[in-house]
Amino acid sequence: MNVWELIVIGGGPAGLSAAFVAARRGVRTLVVERAAHPRYKTCGGGLIGTSLAALAGRIEVPAHDLVDRITFTLDGRGGFTRRHGAGPLVSMVRRGEFDDRLRAVAVAAGAELRERATVRSVEQGPDVVRVRLADGEVLLARTVIGADGSSGVSARHVGVRHRQVDLGLELELPVPPPEQARWRGRALLDWGPLPGSYAWVFPKGDRLTVGVIAGRGEGERTRRYLRRFVDRLGLAQVVPTHDSGHLTRCRADDSPLRRGRVLVVGDAAGLLEPWTREGISYALRSGELAGAAVAAADLARYERSVTERLTPAMRAGRRLLDVFSQRPAACHALLATPPGWRAFTRFCLGQADFDEVVGRLPVRAALALADRLPGPRAASLVRVSD
């Protein structure tokens, strides 16, 4: 029977990165994707420097805007805007186009692709892994990389456990030229009324991606926050081209990344930054690490690499989320200070992961101060910083 060296389940950034790396190194690779590219994906679509570095030499990023200014607000109050004069901080992409570029280069590297094929189960035998499709067909592989999202069959098979689950709601809003000009080159981040919540406006040419995220279990309050946010922006009458929601899941520290010959990457592994919930850079990097481990015939190497390269930043992000959830006003005020803005820009540019940012003395001192501040004092810092 036809046995693939590698089957990748899922054709998003994580799966296609794994397929690209493995196929380019001579691994006979098949990608199985339930939809057909290009397809819409609920995602902010902001590429930070870490993502751009992972993509260097692979694709030309299809950016619809390059953001060099960020406006920060605290539930609509205390707004201020900062500009990075040395160039863009974030590249804004539409996921349908972005993923399709990744698909093209993975196929050019030698990977084969089957679209509109839904995986129902994964079963491991002594020598092969059986991937069963919805139509009953069974595909065989020596190794499987699961990149089918946090609720996919791969995560269930491996036994991924999550420490944090959030609900994200997002609108794609077509806007007229005056509104496009208002937002060109500028994003908005609003720290929300629910613990750990925030909202965003990301410009993408003739449309805006507008969304909110908050902890699961606060569905109605999260929807209310989105409605209020859109109304404040003056966009309540715009009919969205997409109105969607999804759950983001962040892994527990001891959650498995592999079970036998099945590895999980990206969202399927629960790999994302806990505070911002940024996941594209983690998808690209974990996919690369998994593809390289398969090519080297050393699957344990993938687990070691994630622990060494990705886990420290996730732990630091969790520390930031804890402080932000308790003291959003203080965090808002700290971003207005030169050390806070420098730390934020270093993260956006990919010059430092959050573990490096949090390790710097000014940031450590600021976080320690925020931990001790009572609510009224934190709010007064916002007024001082305006």
Side-chain angles (χ1 to χ4, degrees):
M1 297 180 67
N2 183 27
V3 179
W4 295 88
E5 291 182 78
L6 171 63
I7 289 179
V8 178
I9 305 173
L16 292 171
S17 293
F20 172 78
V21 170
R24 189 174 58 171
R25 300 186 186 184
V27 178
R28 186 165 171 265
T29 301
L30 173 68
V31 179
V32 181
E33 163 60 35
R34 66 179 180 179
H37 291 88
R39 76 279 195 272
Y40 178 77
K41 174 75 173 178
T42 302
C43 177
L47 301 187
I48 61 174
T50 307
S51 297
L52 297 176
L55 295 165
R58 195 193 323 179
I59 66 168
E60 181 179 348
V61 174
H64 284 267
D65 207 325
L66 300 175
V67 167
D68 64 358
R69 287 165 293 136
I70 311 287
T71 296
F72 300 93
T73 55
L74 179 66
D75 199 17
R77 309 181 311 277
F80 61 89
T81 299
R82 293 290 181 267
R83 181 175 182 271
H84 184 251
L89 291 168
V90 185
S91 298
M92 298 297 175
V93 299
R94 301 174 183 175
R95 279 290 302 275
E97 297 174 355
F98 178 65
D99 291 8
D100 199 40
R101 294 278 179 97
L102 296 175
R103 173 205 58 78
V105 296
V107 170
E112 295 191 35
L113 175 66
R114 284 189 61 175
E115 297 183 316
R116 302 191 189 281
T118 300
V119 174
R120 291 300 188 209
S121 67
V122 175
E123 304 165 359
Q124 297 196 52
D127 302 311
V128 296
V129 183
R130 293 173 175 81
V131 176
R132 188 177 300 277
L133 304 183
D135 63 5
E137 182 181 1
V138 176
L139 306 174
L140 304 180
R142 300 297 179 196
T143 306
V144 167
I145 293 177
D148 49 341
S150 60
S151 60
V153 299
S154 303
R156 292 196 299 272
H157 178 80
V158 171
V160 176
R161 297 185 300 278
H162 301 105
R163 174 170 177 167
Q164 173 184 334
V165 183
D166 297 292
L167 171 64
L169 303 175
E170 191 168 85
L171 305 173
E172 292 285 345
L173 301 178
V175 291
E179 202 70 27
Q180 296 171 29
R182 175 190 173 199
W183 290 101
R184 189 172 298 119
R186 179 171 69 97
L188 168 64
L189 296 176
D190 177 76
W191 314 120
L194 286 73
S197 67
Y198 75 96
W200 61 89
V201 178
F202 289 168
K204 298 176 185 176
D206 61 357
R207 70 183 69 168
L208 300 175
T209 298
V210 179
V212 302
I213 196 162
R216 183 178 64 173
E218 296 286 356
E220 182 50 44
R221 293 179 67 194
T222 305
R223 286 186 285 271
R224 189 182 310 127
Y225 176 29
L226 177 61
R227 289 193 297 268
R228 290 176 49 241
F229 182 61
V230 173
D231 188 56
R232 283 202 305 262
L233 296 170
L235 300 172
Q237 302 307 313
V238 179
V239 178
T241 56
H242 293 281
D243 182 345
S244 59
H246 70 291
L247 293 176
T248 65
R249 296 176 171 91
C250 187
R251 70 189 292 265
D253 285 344
D254 60 349
S255 178
L257 296 163
R258 175 172 70 100
R259 176 182 172 188
R261 304 194 66 80
V262 178
L263 294 71
V264 283
V265 296
D267 286 346
L271 294 169
L272 75 157
E273 194 281 301
W275 179 32
T276 65
R277 288 79 157 188
E278 190 278 322
I280 293 179
S281 72
Y282 286 85
L284 294 169
R285 289 179 290 173
S286 63
E288 290 179 3
L289 295 173
V294 172
D298 181 4
L299 301 187
R301 167 177 160 180
Y302 170 63
E303 298 166 293
R304 296 192 300 270
S305 297
V306 169
T307 299
E308 294 169 3
R309 302 186 193 184
L310 304 183
T311 299
M314 293 179 66
R315 287 175 176 160
R318 190 171 295 121
R319 160 73 171 140
L320 289 169
L321 176 63
D322 288 343
V323 174
F324 170 65
S325 297
Q326 298 173 38
R327 299 286 186 268
C331 292
H332 179 65
L334 292 170
L335 279 168
T337 67
W341 174 241
R342 282 196 299 271
F344 184 83
T345 59
R346 284 176 60 81
F347 166 72
C348 290
L349 294 171
Q351 296 174 347
D353 273 328
F354 272 150
D355 55 322
E356 300 171 78
V357 169
V358 171
R360 288 177 169 263
L361 181 59
V363 177
R364 287 206 317 271
L367 290 175
L369 175 61
D371 265 340
R372 296 194 299 270
L373 283 173
R377 174 58 179 158
S380 70
L381 282 178
V382 179
R383 292 192 293 272
V384 169
S385 70
D386 287 349

